[in-house]
Amino acid sequence: MEHMGIVSILPVVLAIIIAIKLKNVIPALFAGVLTGVLILSGGHPVTAVTTMIKSYLFAQVADSYNAGVLVLLVFIGGFVGLMEKSGGAAAFALKMTEIVNNRFKVQLSAWLGGIIVFFSDLGTPLIVGPISEPLFDKLRVSREKLAWIIDSTASPIAVLVPFIGWGVYVMGLIQKEFTALGIAESDWTAFIKAIPFQFYPILAVIMVPVVAFTGYEFSAMARAEKRTIDTGERYWPHSKPLRHANDERNANSKAILIWLPLIVLFVTLFGILGPLGFPLKKVPGSTFRTALSTGYLFAAITIISLMVFHKVKTLSESFDIYFSGMNKMMNVAVILVLAWSLGAVGKHMGTANYIIEVTHGTLPAWGVPAVVFLIGGIMSFATGSSWGTFAILMPLVIPMSETLGAPLHACIGAVLSGGLFGDHCSPISDTTILSSTGAGCDHIDHVETQLPYALLNGTVSLVAYLLAGITGSALCLLLAMATLVVSLVILSKRNGVHIPNTTVEDVERLTPEPATARE
């Protein structure tokens, strides 16, 4: 396989080190991209800069998929801005406190919200996050916990659903290899059979209610939760949230400013895609993103109309808020373009090929799923792209499985799980970035608090893939789930804390919230 040797991983390693040191992902990504292009251009600085701008930054923006994501983000940003400034979230939270009145329920509500918005891993953080913020703050649950919950219900849910963009993309990769190898099984059937072997995303999803119910926390998340419940502080003193929440209160704000626009969003989405057979039939990704963008636009029109009708804001003020919300997405857009560019640089340098060549060797059939999971995790962590990992590994793993006699569906599940595992651990992953944005959380704080939980899930998944390689049985999932629960309790008791399931009344009796919130 073509690659530039160990130097091919230099840009990614540099980006990760700088991101952690500076606690700022933009200069880290920029340095990684520039370093890679400098190497590719033979060390000529002027050529490197012009090539980076023309062949990478411009190229990523011009890519049809990337452009669709950026346009969708703009519409989402405007809509989220309106939700924040309308005061509807606070009014909705006030209503919901009658039901969502303790720490377990508020975490479960965000988890259920992430599952309901299954159709978009990009939309989940930016819909569920802003709506959940007031409830989390009121019950003193940390913003890091909110970021982890929405990150655990974004791509982990999306990769399990066959009839949305993720599933369609994966089945396309599967079908290509099945056709080449003469495998009669359909891509749909293979995807469905591989779902029980997607250990990591399933464990990531179920870990949320387990943690919420037991109240056991460990590592950096335990410290963040203790900080919030003891002091009421949303962030650490050094934190720099990617998006600031809005604390405005308006006497005219109503809960309808939240739930009606969301209903319009869903009705529009399914109204456009329903005639095309959604959700029972495949829908092209571009069509889906167009429908989602349309839904956000109509939802924004609805909330603007409600704000004017209830005299929350004037029409002119509402439009200003909408366009301001769009502008706030520029920071996220820049991060995404740089992350995509770094992935493109890595592809040209052969980063993934080098990783595969170094880690791949002669394997017994039973060891293939576990090794594939590890390789996928390393690649996805280094590139920040689970989709790129799928595209590179699936054409290698399916023939390898057939040749060595390894369990096919377990190997497919291992590719998908490995991609999600590395994606969850990576500070340059787009879904990780968007989860920090949606929760109004410092990005590095989110990475540091999520990483121990992701590593626990990853370790359990690795053991499960070893067993699945030996047995070929999907029942290994049940063993993995039981192992996760036991491991979580043991780790939390030895190295963490148990946080009681406090109610609104309990929180009100705690230390008064600081007069000036760190915003």
Side-chain angles (χ1 to χ4, degrees):
M1 290 181 288
E2 295 182 359
H3 57 75
M4 299 181 69
I6 194 170
V7 73
S8 63
I9 66 172
L10 179 60
V12 175
V13 172
L14 181 64
I16 292 172
I17 291 174
I18 293 176
I20 294 173
K21 290 291 184 181
L22 297 184
K23 297 186 181 294
N24 192 326
V25 75
I26 290 181
L29 289 170
F30 185 87
V33 174
L34 183 58
T35 299
V37 178
L38 192 63
I39 294 171
L40 290 169
S41 61
H44 300 287
V46 176
T47 302
V49 172
T50 55
T51 301
M52 180 183 70
I53 294 173
K54 180 180 179 181
S55 301
Y56 290 94
L57 300 182
F58 284 178
Q60 294 306 317
V61 174
D63 179 84
S64 59
Y65 170 80
N66 294 351
V69 171
L70 295 175
V71 170
L72 176 57
L73 276 176
V74 169
F75 280 113
I76 291 175
F79 176 69
V80 169
L82 288 169
M83 284 204 304
E84 290 178 343
K85 295 291 185 179
S86 71
F92 180 78
L94 187 62
K95 293 284 185 181
M96 290 300 293
T97 50
E98 300 173 5
I99 303 173
V100 183
N101 56 4
N102 60 43
R103 287 176 56 87
F104 168 67
K105 290 180 180 178
V106 75
Q107 293 175 71
L108 193 66
S109 67
W111 179 73
L112 289 172
I115 292 175
I116 291 170
V117 190
F118 66 89
F119 52 84
S120 174
D121 62 308
L122 299 178
T124 297
L126 300 178
I127 292 174
V128 178
I131 290 177
S132 301
E133 279 177 359
L135 290 169
F136 272 63
D137 292 344
K138 188 175 185 64
L139 283 157
R140 292 196 180 183
V141 183
S142 69
R143 292 295 182 87
E144 291 92 334
K145 173 63 75 63
L146 176 56
W148 170 64
I149 291 174
I150 57 182
D151 207 352
S152 297
T153 52
S155 49
I157 289 291
V159 78
L160 295 169
V161 181
F163 49 78
I164 62 174
W166 283 69
V168 172
Y169 175 74
V170 170
M171 285 188 286
L173 297 173
I174 293 172
Q175 185 58 50
K176 182 179 178 181
E177 299 309 312
F178 276 19
T179 301
L181 295 170
I183 299 175
E185 187 175 68
S186 71
D187 55 343
W188 175 276
T189 302
F191 186 93
I192 297 299
K193 288 184 177 180
I195 288 177
F197 291 102
Q198 291 196 48
F199 299 138
Y200 183 84
I202 293 174
L203 292 180
V205 172
I206 69 166
M207 190 179 189
V208 173
V210 171
V211 169
F213 179 74
T214 62
Y216 288 119
E217 310 280 359
F218 66 93
S219 193
M221 187 70 79
R223 294 190 292 272
E225 287 288 85
K226 285 289 290 180
R227 177 205 70 220
T228 306
I229 199 167
D230 289 345
T231 70
E233 291 286 349
R234 298 171 183 171
Y235 316 112
W236 296 109
H238 64 264
S239 298
K240 297 178 181 178
L242 287 187
R243 182 184 59 79
H244 292 290
N246 179 61
D247 287 331
E248 289 185 11
R249 298 290 184 268
N250 191 305
N252 296 326
S253 294
K254 310 290 182 183
I256 193 174
L257 289 163
I258 291 296
W259 61 260
L260 183 57
L262 289 178
I263 289 177
V264 170
L265 171 61
F266 284 111
V267 169
T268 302
L269 179 67
F270 284 92
I272 293 174
L273 298 180
L276 301 177
F278 182 83
L280 300 178
K281 293 183 180 180
K282 302 176 185 178
V283 175
S286 59
T287 302
F288 188 86
R289 289 190 295 276
T290 300
L292 196 55
S293 297
T294 304
Y296 275 113
L297 177 60
F298 286 174
I301 292 172
T302 302
I303 195 170
I304 288 173
S305 301
L306 289 170
M307 287 169 68
V308 174
F309 178 79
H310 289 288
K311 297 181 180 180
V312 175
K313 301 288 182 182
T314 66
L315 183 61
S316 177
E317 289 172 337
S318 298
F319 278 120
D320 287 342
I321 293 168
Y322 184 59
F323 295 125
S324 176
M326 289 182 166
N327 289 334
K328 288 181 179 179
M329 284 293 107
M330 282 305 299
N331 188 54
V332 179
V334 168
I335 293 174
L336 287 176
V337 171
L338 287 172
W340 289 328
S341 298
L342 183 60
V345 168
K347 182 179 180 181
H348 292 152
M349 297 182 73
T351 303
N353 292 341
Y354 175 72
I355 293 172
I356 291 176
E357 187 172 294
V358 169
T359 56
H360 176 64
T362 303
L363 290 171
W366 58 266
V368 173
V371 172
V372 166
F373 174 72
L374 284 176
I375 294 174
I378 293 170
M379 286 177 55
S380 185
F381 177 82
T383 61
S385 172
S386 52
W387 280 38
T389 300
F390 302 159
I392 293 168
L393 282 187
M394 203 68 80
L396 299 174
V397 170
I398 292 177
M400 184 193 306
S401 172
E402 286 292 291
T403 301
L404 298 179
L408 176 61
H409 302 112
C411 290
I412 292 174
V415 172
L416 303 179
S417 281
L420 263 292
F421 173 47
D423 185 85
H424 257 190
C425 296
S426 178
I428 60 175
S429 161
D430 54 358
T431 48
T432 306
I433 294 164
L434 290 174
S435 295
S436 302
T437 304
C441 175
D442 179 277
H443 182 57
I444 302 302
D445 289 347
H446 169 43
V447 173
E448 289 178 348
T449 50
Q450 176 164 272
L451 185 59
Y453 288 7
L455 290 175
L456 173 59
N457 284 336
T459 302
V460 174
S461 297
L462 179 62
V463 174
Y465 281 118
L466 287 171
L467 295 176
I470 296 170
T471 65
S473 173
L475 293 177
C476 294
L477 175 61
L478 298 178
L479 181 60
M481 294 166 66
T483 303
L484 171 65
V485 174
V486 173
S487 301
L488 176 65
V489 173
I490 293 174
L491 281 171
S492 298
K493 286 188 173 181
R494 289 185 176 180
N495 305 298
V497 296
H498 177 265
I499 298 181
N501 186 28
T502 52
T503 64
V504 175
E505 291 75 17
D506 295 329
V507 169
E508 290 174 351
R509 289 193 294 268
L510 294 173
T511 306
E513 186 173 342
T516 55
R518 283 185 49 79
E519 291 290 351

